[in-house]
Amino acid sequence: MAYQDLCKQIIAGVGGKDNVISVVHCTTRLRFKLKDEKKADDNQIKNIDGVISVVKAGGQY
């Protein structure tokens, strides 16, 4: 899968770009700060090819 497609699917899964306050990446993770975590669909994101899991902790998604 192309990274652009993967990014679009993940952004849609977290509730769209308007729900994202910030995003940071490290070697193996994307760390989102979201306006409203309830808008994020954990199952949709987990089912995206290239996503291993979803973790929510310390205000990060």
Side-chain angles (χ1 to χ4, degrees), residues 26-45:
C26 64
T27 303
T28 59
R29 293 173 181 83
L30 292 174
R31 299 173 188 266
F32 288 87
K33 282 200 172 195
L34 301 177
K35 293 177 184 174
D36 184 357
E37 279 192 22
K38 293 176 187 168
K39 291 183 179 181
D41 185 338
D42 296 352
N43 289 323
Q44 177 184 347
I45 297 169

Side-chain angles (χ1 to χ4, degrees), residues 1-12 48-49:
M1 173 182 298
Y3 287 124
Q4 287 181 335
D5 293 336
L6 179 61
C7 292
K8 287 177 185 177
Q9 290 182 28
I10 292 171
I11 294 295
I48 298 171
D49 251 358

